[in-house]
Structure formats: C-alpha cells, structure tokens
Amino acid sequence: MVLQRGWSWIATKARNVLLKILAAGPIPRHVAFVMDGNRRYARKNRKAVPEGHSDGFVTLRRMLEVCMRLNIKCVSAYAFSIENFKRSEEEVSALMTLAEAKLLELCSHGELLDQYGVRLNVIGNTKLLPESVQQAARKAEDMTRHNKRAIFNLCMPYTSRDEMTTAVESCVRDSILAGSKEIIITEQDIDRQMMTSLGDSPPLDILIRTSGVKRLSDYLLWQCCEDTQLQFSSVYWPDFGLFDFIPIILDFQRKVWSTSNL
C-alpha cells in the first residue's frame, strides 16, 4: 500500500512537471469536448450503461483539472443533448440523477471548481431538466459566480439549433422593446446573444470529439469559426486521458508557431 502511494505521488509530480512544460508554449483559450462513447465503453467493459456515464464524469473531472493546470481559460463539455431525451426512460432518469449529484459535488467547498477558481455556467435549455436538477444547476452556478480565473460550460440539455434560435428570438425581442420600427439583426447582434457570449467565454480554439465518430452533432456550430481546430480521437470518452490530450495541444502549438512565422 505504501509503495502504491509512492508511485501515485511520483506519477502526479511527473504529470504536473509535464503540464508546466506544455503551459510554457501557446495555450488555447477555449477547449470544448464532445464526450462521446460512454455507452460503447460500458458494453465493451461489461458494465451497465449508467456506470459508463458515471465513469465519463470521472474523466471529465480529470480533464478539467488538466486544462486548469495548463491555464486554459475556458472549457466546454457536451454533457447532454436535447435529442438525448429520446433515449430510454431508464437511461435518461439515471443521467439526470447523476447530473444532479455531480453538479452539487463540483461546487462543494474545496472541490475542483473552488480550488482552481472556476466559474460554472450550465448552458442549454435548462427548463427541460427535472426541477431538482434545475435547482442543483442554479445552486452550482451561484456558488461559483465569484470565481474569475476560468470558466467551465456544462452544456445540458443543449443543441446549437436551439441556442441559435433562442439568440435570434432575444435579438427580435430586444429590438421590439427598443421601439424599433424595422427589425434589423446583424451577425454581431446574434453573437452577443449566444449562451457562451453571455457567459463571457472566449472564442473556441479547439473542439475535441472522442470515440472515433467524425461529426459535430449539433454542438457549438456557431462558435466553430474558421480558426477552430477540430480534433477527433478514436478513444472512448471514459478512457480519454492526458496522453490522448498532449498530441492535440502540441498540434495546436505547432500551428500557432507556423502561423506566426508567415
């Protein structure tokens, strides 16, 4: 047991030194994850589907800490799509129970968000969530509102189409309230109403999707501009770790350096 703790301490120190070296180079301001593959991971490892989702939250916490140690300003995670409500009642119920528990855990005193000064934004059509999950989300947001070092966007339940529709509706409503005779909506108007903009998130630099699937699944489509780097990993999300993330950061740094030399 003592030997095991010793190796764990050495591994943690080595990880932190490696991250410090990486952080000396160009670092993305905003990284987003499509946490795909929880169910396939569960089947592969002969686990129940809720266990796969639970292991996925463990990975999310681990990767969030890695990002904070790299001084990444903003992390977004696609936790639950509006389309996921079409899944079985049992799976949706298990996911909602897990989300409520993890929201309260994340914002508890001394936990990760408190430790690194991270502000939590729950982004999406939250009125679709069960009341208990809405309450947990509001509590988590309120308890981290004073944190200024970094931002964590937990996207649930979310789709880009819903976000863009809501943004346009807000633009129209604001124009009507202002007494405008003619409603003119610009790209900048819509951008200001996007949920990430309202939460003070910087532009999206890297979007990562795990599990080998190469599609965006209606996630941050507006935010994926011409400078956003898309990265696809074949690893299931619960198995995704530091050594899957390092090549992505190195690729980002290489492209930044190559651009700066033009």
Side-chain angles (χ1 to χ4, degrees):
M1 183 66 71
V2 174
L3 182 61
Q4 184 178 5
R5 285 199 297 268
W7 278 115
S8 178
W9 180 84
I10 292 172
T12 299
K13 293 292 287 186
R15 180 204 67 172
N16 292 344
V17 169
L18 179 58
L19 292 175
K20 191 172 183 179
I21 293 170
L22 275 176
I27 291 298
R29 294 162 297 170
H30 185 177
V31 174
F33 295 101
V34 180
M35 305 183 293
D36 194 24
N38 290 346
R39 294 193 293 176
R40 280 168 285 167
Y41 160 88
R43 288 193 292 268
K44 175 186 173 183
N45 292 278
R46 298 181 179 179
K47 294 184 175 185
V49 169
E51 289 183 85
H53 292 305
S54 182
D55 289 351
F57 267 97
V58 173
T59 297
L60 174 59
R61 188 191 188 285
R62 183 172 65 245
M63 292 310 303
L64 184 57
E65 182 172 13
V66 166
C67 290
M68 292 305 100
R69 285 191 169 274
L70 283 173
N71 296 317
I72 293 172
K73 169 68 176 176
C74 180
V75 176
S76 297
Y78 202 3
F80 193 84
S81 167
I82 291 175
E83 298 298 315
N84 289 157
F85 281 115
K86 297 176 182 178
R87 293 182 179 178
S88 70
E89 184 177 343
E90 180 184 9
E91 182 177 355
V92 171
S93 178
L95 276 166
M96 292 299 103
T97 299
L98 181 64
E100 180 181 355
K102 295 304 178 182
L103 279 167
L104 296 176
E105 178 185 309
L106 278 171
C107 67
S108 63
H109 180 69
E111 249 297 328
L112 187 65
L113 303 188
D114 181 62
Q115 179 183 349
Y116 289 99
V118 183
R119 171 183 170 181
L120 173 68
N121 297 322
V122 180
I123 286 179
N125 197 339
T126 55
K127 66 178 180 290
L128 299 177
L129 296 170
E131 181 58 35
S132 61
V133 181
Q134 291 185 46
Q135 290 177 4
R138 286 193 293 268
K139 181 178 180 180
E141 288 181 317
D142 290 343
M143 290 183 69
T144 62
R145 192 58 64 216
H146 65 283
N147 292 337
K148 303 297 182 183
R149 178 182 167 187
I151 295 167
F152 174 41
N153 296 320
L154 187 64
C155 303
M156 63 172 292
Y158 173 92
T159 62
S160 284
R161 286 172 295 173
D162 181 75
E163 181 186 28
M164 288 186 276
T165 299
T166 301
V168 172
E169 288 174 345
S170 296
C171 290
V172 172
R173 183 170 58 251
D174 290 348
S175 182
I176 293 173
L177 290 175
S180 301
K181 294 182 179 179
E182 184 179 4
I183 297 176
I184 300 175
I185 300 174
T186 67
E187 179 182 327
Q188 290 71 31
D189 293 331
I190 297 174
D191 189 66
R192 282 192 292 268
Q193 292 296 334
M194 299 305 287
M195 295 173 186
T196 49
S197 297
L198 293 171
D200 296 325
S201 302
L204 181 60
D205 294 308
I206 304 176
L207 187 144
I208 302 166
R209 180 171 187 146
T210 55
S211 86
V213 175
K214 295 182 179 180
R215 60 174 182 266
L216 297 181
S217 293
D218 209 356
Y219 184 53
L220 299 182
L221 301 184
W222 180 275
Q223 292 82 352
C224 284
C225 62
E226 62 182 15
D227 295 324
T228 303
Q229 295 182 16
L230 303 181
Q231 297 280 352
F232 298 99
S233 170
S234 60
V235 176
Y236 294 144
W237 173 250
D239 289 325
F240 189 84
L242 176 61
F243 291 103
D244 302 295
F245 192 46
I246 287 175
I248 293 172
I249 297 299
L250 289 175
D251 187 51
F252 174 83
Q253 293 179 337
R254 179 183 61 81
K255 289 175 180 175
V256 170
W257 282 322
S258 65
T259 302
S260 63
N261 291 330
L262 292 177

